[in-house]
Amino acid sequence: MKILVVNCGSSSLKYQLFDMTDESVLAKGLVERIGIEGARIKHTKTGMDAVIRNTEISNHKVAFKVVVEALLDDSHGALKSLDELSAVGHRVVHAGEKYAGSVMITQDVIDALEECVPLAPLHNPANLMGIYAVTEALPNIPQVGVFDTAFHQTMPGYAYMYGVPYHYYEKYKVRRYGFHGTSHFYVSRRAAEILGKPVESLNIVTCHMGNGSSIAAVKGGKSVDTSMGFSPLPGVIMGTRSGDVDPLLVSFLSDQEGIDNKAMSHVLNKESGLLGISGVSSDLRDIEEAADAGNQRARLAEDMLYYGVRKYIGSYAAAMGGMDVLVFTAGIGENSGRAREGICTGLEFMGVKLDLEKNNVRGKERIISTDDSRVKVLVVPTDEELVIARDTKKIAMDRN
Ligand code: AMP
């Protein structure tokens, strides 16, 4: 059974083709700069060098056609015919309160996702364009939606509500949703498997730290709280997003600077975070280098990141009545031993003891706490595509 996983951004389309008999990846690639000059596809058949093709790609429908051509190519393709493809799984960012799990995409689902566009104006339209592109190219193929928000739908009301008048929740669905759910789901399960314990028996804090970062409290396998909220802006400081700020900063700064909501939103999403504090870069590698060279603002940005994540870990341990496992994933979590050490330093009182030698690891599954650490600390590379492929297989098979 071959399954294609599609992840559309506003000007990009990422894909992975899985053979679900052994969950191997047959090919993967990225179409970039859709609708912009300089569009290209980078396609890699497993075991071969990447092939790059520059071509005009005006929209997501054209992008998907280019992907299909690459997948069917005689030399670097991975399919002889599209009939080999059993289903397509889509990463979709926002499903509101409607879906707490993955679903077969029907017209009702598309309508629900369109309704969520005001909640995720940057992401859902692109995800929907991916669904429309596949529907046009392969009208009979089953398509499954896997939602970033779904895993967090188990949060209790007292965790997801904001302290604003209740009618705003009723009228506009203003609440905490949380994101990166597929990643928090995957790494919490995988950590339990590595430790040989049922996930239902564990209190786990998962730290998805990449360009965007979120922390989640996973109690008994269910998300009970997470640091992102109504939007992916709050929580810890990120590459260019501010993380938590006093909401009155927004009206204060827009008054002072004479800028409107849209411009304020740009400041908070694109000019803040590690970039805004350091003035150096949004990339932690550059910040680490600059801090080592004596740049005080880079040092401050790094310290803010560690301190912020540490505080979330502490508060989620309190939310769950303790913590058994701490997991790091995504670009920073998987690759920066320095960030993991910076975060864990000061958590010894909670039973976190990092093994500094084991912590010297990049992009590999490993237990990085000492043998006598009460809290097990792990690096688990995330694999959202695999979760999407698994859900797609299950839902497409159940249909038959
Ligand atoms: P992601 O969004 O998960 O792809 O993560 C991207 C981010 O991971 C980059 O912006 C970097 O800040 C960070 N990153 C990747 N590799 C390293 C590394 N070796 N050391 C520190 N940060 C890293």
Side-chain angles (χ1 to χ4, degrees):
M1 183 181 210
K2 287 174 187 158
I3 283 178
L4 183 66
V5 171
V6 172
N7 180 356
C8 281
S10 56
S11 64
S12 67
L13 189 164
K14 267 196 254 172
Y15 61 95
Q16 273 193 33
L17 178 69
F18 284 86
D19 180 347
M20 294 309 285
T21 47
D22 59 357
E23 298 189 335
S24 59
V25 176
L26 301 174
K28 63 177 159 184
L30 169 67
V31 185
E32 286 176 292
R33 301 181 66 83
I34 299 171
I36 311 171
E37 211 176 309
R40 62 176 209 160
I41 176 169
K42 182 178 178 191
H43 171 89
T44 312
K45 178 180 183 174
T46 302
M48 286 178 73
D49 287 342
V51 184
I52 293 175
R53 191 178 144 214
N54 295 294
T55 174
E56 201 180 310
I57 302 176
S58 51
N59 58 44
H60 287 75
K61 286 184 184 170
V62 178
F64 190 66
K65 276 196 192 124
V66 171
V67 170
V68 167
E69 279 165 25
L71 290 171
L72 291 174
D73 189 88
D74 284 341
S75 65
H76 56 257
L79 292 173
K80 288 204 175 57
S81 141
L82 284 179
D83 295 340
E84 287 173 52
L85 206 55
S86 301
V88 176
H90 292 267
R91 177 196 181 210
V92 178
V93 167
H94 217 307
E97 292 186 316
K98 184 108 189 196
Y99 303 113
S102 307
V103 293
M104 182 69 74
I105 293 175
T106 60
Q107 191 55 49
D108 282 352
V109 173
I110 290 175
D111 293 345
L113 298 179
E114 289 281 6
E115 262 175 46
C116 288
V117 166
L119 301 177
L122 299 178
H123 296 98
N124 269 37
N127 303 152
L128 279 157
M129 281 193 276
I131 294 172
Y132 296 137
V134 175
T135 308
E136 184 167 297
L138 305 168
N140 297 318
I141 201 142
Q143 296 185 64
V144 170
V146 180
F147 311 114
D148 263 25
T149 49
F151 181 55
H152 300 301
Q153 279 296 303
T154 45
M155 282 188 287
Y158 54 77
Y160 70 67
M161 287 300 286
Y162 292 118
V164 297
Y166 192 81
H167 62 264
Y168 290 135
Y169 167 65
E170 295 176 310
K171 206 165 162 190
Y172 304 117
K173 294 281 172 231
V174 166
R175 52 160 285 180
R176 180 187 304 280
Y177 289 100
F179 300 89
H180 296 138
T182 312
S183 177
H184 290 294
F185 169 84
Y186 174 78
V187 300
S188 56
R189 262 60 187 173
R190 194 64 205 124
E193 269 169 29
I194 293 166
L195 295 170
K197 298 210 166 130
V199 73
E200 293 75 20
S201 69
L202 297 170
N203 288 342
I204 307 178
V205 175
T206 46
C207 303
H208 177 112
M209 298 174 60
N211 197 30
S213 299
S214 67
I215 320 296
V218 183
K219 185 175 180 62
K222 293 185 173 150
S223 172
V224 293
D225 208 343
T226 190
S227 60
M228 283 180 169
F230 175 71
S231 78
L233 187 68
V236 298
I237 186 171
M238 304 178 216
T240 59
R241 290 183 214 146
S242 62
D244 295 328
V245 293
D246 180 335
L248 283 189
L249 276 190
V250 179
S251 51
F252 175 79
L253 288 178
S254 59
D255 284 350
Q256 297 296 316
E257 295 275 311
I259 55 179
D260 63 10
N261 277 345
K262 204 166 165 217
M264 250 340 272
S265 163
H266 190 268
V267 169
L268 293 169
N269 275 300
K270 301 282 182 200
E271 296 173 9
S272 298
L274 297 176
L275 173 67
I277 292 293
S278 70
V280 171
S281 167
S282 62
D283 191 310
L284 189 66
R285 284 165 288 202
D286 302 333
I287 309 258
E288 289 177 353
E289 204 181 303
D292 285 345
N295 184 319
Q296 288 308 308
R297 275 172 53 187
R299 170 78 61 210
L300 174 65
E302 221 188 325
D303 287 344
M304 285 172 72
L305 175 67
Y306 304 163
Y307 178 67
V309 176
R310 201 184 305 133
K311 278 207 301 186
Y312 266 103
I313 294 169
S315 69
Y316 287 168
M320 294 189 290
M323 170 174 69
D324 306 306
V325 183
L326 176 60
V327 187
F328 290 100
T329 194
I332 296 172
E334 291 167 26
N335 294 304
S336 178
R338 170 163 159 164
R340 295 188 298 257
E341 185 183 342
I343 291 161
C344 289
T345 303
L347 291 179
E348 296 81 3
F349 80 98
M350 287 172 60
V352 173
K353 263 205 228 170
L354 211 57
D355 182 322
L356 295 184
E357 217 156 278
K358 291 181 188 158
N359 184 39
N360 189 12
V361 64
R362 273 200 189 158
K364 271 197 228 131
E365 287 184 349
R366 186 183 280 180
I367 300 172
I368 56 169
S369 45
T370 59
D371 291 343
D372 65 343
S373 179
R374 204 184 48 69
V375 174
K376 302 295 168 209
V377 187
L378 289 90
V379 173
V380 179
T382 193
D383 198 341
E384 289 155 286
E385 286 78 12
L386 180 59
V387 176
I388 298 172
R390 283 178 179 164
D391 278 11
T392 303
K393 176 184 170 190
K394 188 173 174 301
I395 290 169
M397 275 173 63
D398 283 353
R399 178 177 168 260
N400 294 329

